[in-house]
Amino acid sequence: MSESPRDAYRAGFVSFVGRPNVGKSTLMNALVGSKVAITSEKPQTTRKAIRGIISSESGQVIIVDTPGVHRPRTLLGERLNDLVQSTLGDMDVIGMCVPAGEAIGPGDRFINEQLDSYPRAKKVAIVTKIDVVPKAQVADQLYAVSQLREWDEIIPVSSVKQLQLDVLVEQLTKLLPESPRLYPDERITDESVEDRIAEYIREAALEGVRDELPHSLAVTVDDVSAREHKDIVDIYANVFVERDSQKAIVIGKHGARLRDVGERARAQIEPLVGSRVFLSLRVKVARDWQRDPKQLGRLGF
């Protein structure tokens, strides 16, 4: 007997869009059940398309986390926006994230208008952070979101309290095309270990910095190698900034801040590599790298 369409296995790509800091990366991590994208209160934390993979009996949802759409002020900003545009063109479903507690503003309307450029993708509205506002306010936001366009689905969720995440995965799966599995079931991301290590270091370095410094931080990993006959992995990495004054901030008085960055990063890296870690961090100045095409290329943008 042939499968009915309802029983058919589905797999495809979903991207979350929204203003910076609406909870896209946090939502992806909650859905995947593991930290595959770093999170920070600083805008523009996400700098590349990171894939998180959710496998179930009925299908496979590959979530592609992208940088927030913003008005670029540097060549890096332009490249991040270009990355978002090219990524969205390949999506089966686009989920627009809007926080429950923030009124819909010009930025949300701008992003909603941009969705018209991707007619192939199904459109889903995701109202995030429903745990931090009263139910009546969530209801008001759901109505406000419904006025933006004709959505395929509107789903309220909380990543922190794990509310409605199963409903979101179920609805996203239903909107995907029939397809065989695209990744092995046990895979949760296609990020390399080196990429994840670099991101964990950058996340630790972002903690507590202010003003323009978050945008000036970039991390590269030179080497990851296990010591012979010892349960230790040696990791050598670089933290790049744009000016000498920023280098001093990252290092801190008598190196205290850099040690703190290393400790926080190591706490996340050790479970990832399954071993104790020796982490060597060097802080380097790459002047105005956000505006320099050659340096952007060297740093992976």
Side-chain angles (χ1 to χ4, degrees), residues 230-235 266 269-270 273-278:
K230 286 192 178 176
D231 179 29
I232 295 179
V233 172
D234 293 320
I235 298 172
R266 216 167 34 244
I269 294 167
E270 288 183 342
V273 299
S275 170
R276 287 183 299 148
V277 162
F278 166 77

Side-chain angles (χ1 to χ4, degrees), residues 69-71 85 105-115:
V69 179
H70 66 298
R71 297 191 190 287
Q85 305 302 333
D108 299 301
R109 292 193 182 88
F110 171 74
I111 293 166
N112 178 55
E113 288 166 11
Q114 299 299 301
L115 298 185

Side-chain angles (χ1 to χ4, degrees), residues 68-222:
V69 179
H70 66 298
R71 297 191 190 287
R73 295 180 315 201
T74 62
L75 182 58
L76 172 64
E78 288 175 20
R79 290 194 177 175
L80 294 184
N81 272 2
D82 289 346
L83 173 65
V84 176
Q85 305 302 333
S86 63
T87 301
L88 294 182
D90 295 330
M91 293 300 110
D92 299 298
V93 180
I94 300 174
M96 180 173 163
C97 296
V98 181
E102 296 174 28
I104 289 171
D108 299 301
R109 292 193 182 88
F110 171 74
I111 293 166
N112 178 55
E113 288 166 11
Q114 299 299 301
L115 298 185
D116 292 336
S117 305
Y118 310 100
R120 189 179 83 82
K122 307 271 179 59
K123 314 294 190 303
V124 173
I126 304 166
V127 175
T128 61
K129 307 182 184 182
I130 63 170
D131 57 304
V132 297
V133 297
K135 285 183 179 176
Q137 197 172 342
V138 174
D140 289 343
Q141 188 72 315
L142 290 170
Y143 176 75
V145 166
S146 75
Q147 300 303 295
L148 288 173
R149 71 167 56 239
E150 195 69 42
W151 300 98
D152 289 284
E153 293 286 346
I154 302 176
I155 303 163
V157 301
S158 164
S159 305
V160 174
K161 295 288 177 69
Q162 303 271 309
L163 300 175
Q164 294 260 106
L165 298 184
D166 53 343
V167 174
L168 178 57
V169 171
E170 186 182 327
Q171 295 304 321
L172 291 174
T173 304
K174 285 179 181 175
L175 292 171
L176 295 175
E178 290 183 27
S179 165
R181 279 173 178 73
L182 301 173
Y183 290 93
D185 278 349
E186 66 277 5
R187 185 86 65 87
I188 59 167
T189 183
D190 63 355
E191 287 286 282
S192 70
V193 171
E194 287 82 359
D195 284 344
R196 293 179 75 181
I197 288 169
E199 286 289 88
Y200 287 156
I201 294 167
R202 187 163 68 90
E203 182 182 52
L206 282 169
E207 187 78 23
V209 298
R210 60 189 186 277
D211 304 330
E212 287 301 300
L213 184 52
H215 301 285
S216 299
L217 282 169
V219 175
T220 61
V221 174
D222 285 342

Side-chain angles (χ1 to χ4, degrees), residues 212-213 216 241-251 283:
E212 287 301 300
L213 184 52
S216 299
V241 292
E242 295 188 293
R243 294 189 289 281
D244 292 318
S245 59
Q246 294 171 337
K247 180 176 178 178
I249 292 169
V250 172
I251 293 172
V283 184

